[in-house]
Structures are given as structure tokens and as C-alpha cells.
Amino acid sequence: MPITLPSDLPAFAVLDREGVMVMGDEQAERQDIRRLRIGLLNLMPKKIQTETQFARLIGATPLQIDFQLIRMSEHETKNTAAEHMETFYRPFTEVEESGEKFDGLIITGAPIEHLPFEEVTYWDELTRVMDWTQTNVHSTFGVCWGGMAMINHFHGVPKHLLDQKLFGCLRHANLAPASPYLRGFSDDVLIPVSRWTEMRADEVEAAGLDILVGSDEAGPCLVEDKAHRALYIFNHFEYDSGTLKEEYDRDVANGTPINVPVNYYPEDNPSRQPLNRWRSHAHLLYGNWINEIYQSTPYDIAQIGQG
């Protein structure tokens, strides 16, 4: 079944052309089943690119999704038109004050990983968001810096700066084949990585959390936090085929020292077209997450957070 999006959201036309099942609000209201409400708290500067990437993944499931876009209340983006933000996004304070419930919430990464958490301008509001998920969201998915922020807030696990950027497509091991979130996964998985920080396996495990996917080179990747009904992923299954190329080309153009992303271009040659070798596992992971939400969330959405 389709994902429900405003018909004038840019992602609607993009996904419709790609064959993803999308539906406008008026058509969706004529159906009798309850849509799953999935929110995207979008902290990335390129809002349209990010919302399209996540809508593509959660819109590929056989369930109908009511996709809600949320932003930090006081933070103003410099990379996305104000008209787009005003039309499609709601500030978190509005969502919070309305008392709304969500079946799922994705908290994206943000290009601020060099800063201590407490120095991020919207950190106080983000901690309110994370606490709010415990009463108003059935399952939360923290991505990259968003996942690091959640695991730090709930468990005090620190992030550590790396000497050089982890950048490329790295092999990760499936460490929990029986996990419902890894149904259909191969024994090892290629995942795009782009970060200057890491979470360490011993500190994650000392917090009582389960590492589902990880690698010797890149450390923990996917972590389950049962107590907070959350998943944390520190890498980027949602990336498009050309996202790492865009980051590499940007740094080269700006004169920023950067290594060619490993295992991304054929023969590691940036003049060649990169190949997408993670798309199927990306759909598996987010499809499994949506399915787990569907199987366990209350039919009466008002009951979320009450038990």
C-alpha cells in the first residue's frame, strides 16, 4: 500500500516517477484502514534530498503511511527555501503542544558532529524531543548523528572524534540474524559511511544495548534499545547512489582534504560512475522496521505511550 504525501511535495513527483506507491490526502481519506503515522524530524541542511530519501524507503512497504515532516522550532535552515519549510514542515513545539501521537519517528543526522552535544544550538529542544518520544512515539529510529544523540541522551554513551573521516562503502557483519529487523539480510552487508565520529562497541554493550550490525573497521552500525523502543544506526542506508560522490566533489571543489570514498567507485576511480550495492538491504531494514511497528502498535493511536 502507498505512502501518503502532499501532492505538491517535490518528493511526490520524484517517487511517483520511480514507481513508489504514493497517494494524496484526499484519496487516502476514502480508505477505511488506519494509516501508520511516521514522522521525520529532519536535521539535515538539504531538506528536500533527505525527505525524498526516507520517503522512498518507508513508502516501499505494503502499508499506507501518513508521512509528517517536522523541524526544530527555532533553528532556521539556510539551504532550503523558506516557502518549502513553511508549506510542508511543522515546528516541534506545535506538534508537542497538540498532544499528537506517532507510530514511528525518524531523527536524522546533522553535519555538526564535531561539536559537543551540549554546544549544539538546539540541543535543549532536541532533548525534549527525545523525552517526548517515550510518551508519544511507539518506535523511534535515530540515524547517524541523530542516533548518537539518542544513545548519549538515554545512556550517556559518548561519541569519539576520529583522526580521519570514515568515508566510503564498508562491509558490515550481520551480528543478530534472528532479529526481526534483519529479516532477509545477508551475512555481510555493504553500507555507505560518512562521519568523523564513532561510537565504541564496548561502551555500547556496557550500556546494555544490542549491536545488530557492526564492523571491525567502522564499529557498531545498528543498535537496538529495547527499553526506549528505539533503533540507532550510525551509517547511511538511505543514501542515494550519488550522495557520497556529491560529498566528495564538494570537498574537492572547496579544497578540503578528503580521501576518495573507499569501495564506492569501480576500481576506486572517481571518474567512473558509482554503483549502488546497498539499496536492497536499505529497503529490507526500513520495511522490517515498519512491519514491526505495524505488528505491535495499538490500533487506537491514543494508547501509544500508555503501557
Side-chain angles (χ1 to χ4, degrees), residues 46-65:
K46 294 183 177 181
K47 305 293 186 191
I48 294 175
Q49 180 186 57
T50 301
E51 68 204 28
T52 302
Q53 289 171 345
F54 283 105
R56 176 181 294 115
L57 293 173
I58 67 172
T61 74
L63 301 171
Q64 187 184 142
I65 307 295

Side-chain angles (χ1 to χ4, degrees), residues 110-114 143-145 148 159-168 170-172 191-200 213-222 233-236 239 244 247 250 258:
I112 49 176
E113 56 183 329
H114 62 288
V143 179
C144 200
W145 183 86
M148 293 182 180
K159 62 181 173 68
H160 301 274
L161 286 171
L162 298 168
D163 293 332
Q164 61 182 12
K165 187 177 184 178
L166 270 174
F167 193 40
L170 303 181
R171 286 282 174 191
H172 290 70
I191 309 176
V193 181
S194 179
R195 51 183 165 85
W196 283 95
T197 53
E198 67 175 356
M199 310 302 283
R200 293 178 179 168
V213 175
S215 99
D216 292 337
E217 185 176 2
C221 171
L222 181 65
I233 188 167
F234 307 129
N235 302 328
H236 291 285
Y239 269 10
L244 291 178
E247 294 182 8
R250 175 202 63 203
I258 186 66

